[in-house]
């Protein structure tokens, strides 16, 4: 069963996402994330590549949990 605290957020480390949700790897490839970036947060790499972090987080959550997940809230988490 899906739990809200399992959502991928913009401050999540890429390596953790790939290990927990291997189905997200094609999404990372689509956005041209490279292996050396695996120890960075999703937000850090998105900004470096000029990507909208909310779009990246939404695509990752959809790949991991399916189309029923509302990941808009996940991308709005603060980095504190």
């Amino acid at each position: 069963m899906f739990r809200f605290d399992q959502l991928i957020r913009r401050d999540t480390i890429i390596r953790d996402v790939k290990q927990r949700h291997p189905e997200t790897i094609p999404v990372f490839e689509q956005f041209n994330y490279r292996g050396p970036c695996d120890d960075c947060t999703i937000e850090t790499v998105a900004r470096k590549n000029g990507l909208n972090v909310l779009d990246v987080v939404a695509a990752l959550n959809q790949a991991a949990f399916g189309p029923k997940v509302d990941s808009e809230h996940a991308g709005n988490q603060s980095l504190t």
Side-chain angles (χ1 to χ4, degrees):
M1 178 172 196
F2 170 76
R3 292 179 14 192
F4 180 76
D5 62 345
Q6 295 174 333
L7 280 176
I8 299 165
R9 298 187 231 356
R10 63 183 176 183
D11 61 343
T12 307
I13 302 295
I14 294 170
R15 182 179 315 283
D16 294 341
V17 175
K18 287 181 175 180
Q19 288 175 346
R20 289 183 199 140
H21 308 285
E23 60 275 16
T24 63
I25 292 173
V27 176
F28 285 112
E29 291 171 352
Q30 172 190 349
F31 286 113
N32 297 317
Y33 278 55
R34 295 171 298 176
C37 300
D38 280 359
D39 292 323
C40 299
T41 65
I42 293 167
E43 181 172 36
T44 299
V45 179
R47 287 183 183 207
K48 285 183 180 181
N49 289 315
L51 301 171
N52 181 325
V53 69
L54 296 178
D55 293 341
V56 175
V57 169
L60 291 169
N61 277 309
Q62 184 167 354
F65 302 107
K68 296 177 185 174
V69 174
D70 177 11
S71 60
E72 179 178 331
H73 300 293
N76 291 329
Q77 299 293 322
S78 66
L79 295 176
T80 57

